């Protein structure tokens, strides 16, 4: 394991998995433009040996959202550019090279939830809670949440959260679709690493298709979606790694699909 601590995002490498940690706990990991830049730089400079990422936050909270001190004096044009910087960074993470497992605890609010929704898999410790306090702050989602969080739980729930200030607990978040797992306090990192290691052991082309093609297909018409899927399926299955893996199964060398009896608390 190697470890490099930057001021705002710390990085540790565990073979094929990198752990990236928001490291601004005194401000509850509020996302300043500097944090967004550090996050983007950390993702873009991952060694090529890394095949999956765990993203979490230092201190008692995953992330308090947008650094509110940054918006108090901005003009409309500056506000638009501010959002653009977030969009570009989040786009690089969502459609980058490595699938991301986000491990959440404490506050996952505003831009913090927008960041979590960029990840491909979400794990919540029982302390996690989800809110969109933009309505109370007099602003609107600006980090892609109206698109990404709405895709997770539906625009109706997002509207209700923003209008009423409703906060979802970890369990409620599990039911609504904000997280895939709920785990005991302090167990999030281990669960995240376990999932990331599984992801890292997949064929790279399969992970590519899941990250890049699946979201596109979800936006396409039935006819276009089926065409994209068929093309992607053909590409993945003609790769040597797919052929070797299928041969391994047929010749009884590969693991079978078994029931997840030892799944984490509340796993779906
Ligand atoms: C902050 C921020 C922040 C904390 N921007 N500085 N997000 C919010 O509306 C959430 C605002 N934050 C909170 O509700 C609370 O801070 C928490 C529930 C997350 C944590 O409470 P607590 O008691 O542990 O910490 P605290 O005492 O409130 O905060 C500690 C310090 O962090 C304090 O600074 P200090 O200099 O007085 O020590 C806080 O001011 C600072 N801090 N959160 C700036 N968010 C792209 S659009 C996205 C739009 C949004 O994200 S809107 C939601 C914004």
């Amino acid at each position: 394991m190697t470890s490099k601590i930057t001021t705002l995002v710390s990085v540790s490498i565990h073979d094929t998995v990198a752990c990236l940690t928001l490291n601004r706990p005194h401000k509850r990991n509020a996302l300043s433009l500097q944090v967004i830049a550090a996050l983007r730089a950390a993702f873009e400079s991952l060694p090529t040996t890394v095949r999956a990422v765990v993203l979490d936050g230092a201190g008692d909270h995953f992330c308090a959202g947008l650094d509110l001190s940054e918006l108090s004096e901005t003009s409309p044009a500056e506000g638009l550019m501010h959002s653009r910087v977030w969009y570009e960074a989040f786009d690089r993470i969502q459609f980058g090279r490595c699938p991301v497992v986000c491990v959440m605890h404490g506050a996952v609010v505003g831009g913090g939830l927008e960041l979590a929704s960029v990840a491909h898999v979400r794990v919540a410790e029982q302390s996690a809670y989800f809110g969109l306090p933009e309505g109370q702050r007099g602003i609107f989602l600006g980090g892609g949440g109206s698109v990404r969080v709405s895709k997770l739980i539906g625009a109706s729930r997002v509207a209700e959260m923003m209008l009423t200030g409703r906060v979802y607990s970890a369990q409620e978040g599990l039911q609504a679709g904000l997280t895939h797992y709920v785990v005991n306090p302090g167990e999030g990192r281990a669960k995240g690493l376990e999932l990331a290691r599984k992801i890292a052991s997949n064929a790279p082309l399969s992970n590519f298709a899941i990250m890049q093609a699946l979201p596109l297909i979800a936006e396409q018409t039935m006819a276009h979606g089926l065409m994209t899927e068929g093309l992607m399926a053909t590409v993945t299955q003609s790769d040597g790694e797919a052929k070797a893996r299928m041969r391994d199964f047929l010749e009884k060398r590969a693991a079978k699909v078994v029931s997840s009896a030892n799944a984490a608390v509340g796993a779906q």
Side-chain angles (χ1 to χ4, degrees):
M1 181 180 109
T2 58
S3 185
K4 188 181 96 189
I5 305 290
T6 66
T7 36
L8 296 169
V9 175
S10 67
V11 181
S12 62
I13 308 288
H14 309 253
D15 300 319
T16 54
V17 175
C19 292
L20 270 53
T21 302
L22 300 173
N23 192 27
R24 202 190 177 206
H26 62 291
K27 293 288 182 186
R28 308 308 183 248
N29 298 321
L31 298 171
S32 60
L33 284 176
Q34 279 187 322
V35 177
I36 297 289
L39 198 56
R40 178 173 173 170
F43 270 95
E44 288 181 344
S45 55
L46 290 173
T48 50
T49 46
V50 166
R51 292 172 63 169
V53 170
V54 174
L55 173 66
D56 61 8
D60 291 338
H61 301 279
F62 171 66
C63 179
L66 167 72
D67 187 323
L68 292 165
S69 67
E70 280 189 347
L71 278 202
S72 49
E73 304 297 334
T74 51
S75 67
E78 286 165 337
L80 278 169
M81 286 316 294
H82 189 278
S83 275
R84 286 272 143 215
V85 173
W86 281 49
Y87 295 158
E88 281 171 23
F90 284 7
D91 215 61
R92 295 295 178 100
I93 298 171
Q94 183 176 4
F95 300 108
R97 194 175 54 75
C98 297
V100 181
V101 180
C102 184
V103 174
M104 306 165 289
H105 69 295
V108 186
V109 299
L113 181 51
E114 293 182 295
L115 172 59
S117 70
V118 169
H120 305 90
V121 176
R122 277 163 295 279
V123 174
E125 293 193 357
Q126 271 160 5
S127 64
Y129 60 91
F130 306 97
L132 295 172
E134 281 80 352
Q136 291 102 294
R137 304 283 179 240
I139 55 177
F140 188 60
L141 291 158
S146 12
V147 179
R148 293 194 184 90
V149 184
S150 295
K151 283 187 196 295
L152 295 181
I153 63 173
S156 166
R157 282 203 186 93
V158 172
E160 198 267 337
M161 286 175 83
M162 292 183 72
L163 287 170
T164 68
R166 176 174 179 168
V167 171
Y168 282 65
S169 67
Q171 276 301 332
E172 289 168 338
L174 178 71
Q175 275 150 18
L178 287 170
T179 185
H180 298 100
Y181 298 88
V182 176
V183 298
N184 291 323
E187 292 180 2
R189 168 67 79 96
K191 184 69 185 173
L193 269 170
E194 174 200 321
L195 295 169
R197 288 198 175 105
K198 285 185 188 169
I199 292 167
S201 72
N202 292 339
L205 256 183
S206 294
N207 282 353
F208 175 89
I210 294 161
M211 285 177 76
Q212 316 289 339
L214 201 56
L216 266 188
I217 291 167
E219 307 283 336
Q220 291 177 336
T221 61
M222 173 78 91
H224 290 185
L226 294 177
M227 176 58 80
T228 310
E229 182 191 274
L231 292 171
M232 201 68 247
T234 306
V235 172
T236 53
Q237 72 207 26
S238 50
D239 190 49
E241 180 146 355
K243 293 189 189 308
R245 285 172 182 240
M246 285 185 268
R247 212 166 34 242
D248 282 347
F249 176 77
L250 295 172
E251 293 170 9
K252 315 281 184 214
R253 289 189 298 269
K256 294 185 183 182
V257 179
V258 292
S259 147
S260 58
N262 58 353
V265 184
Q268 275 184 327

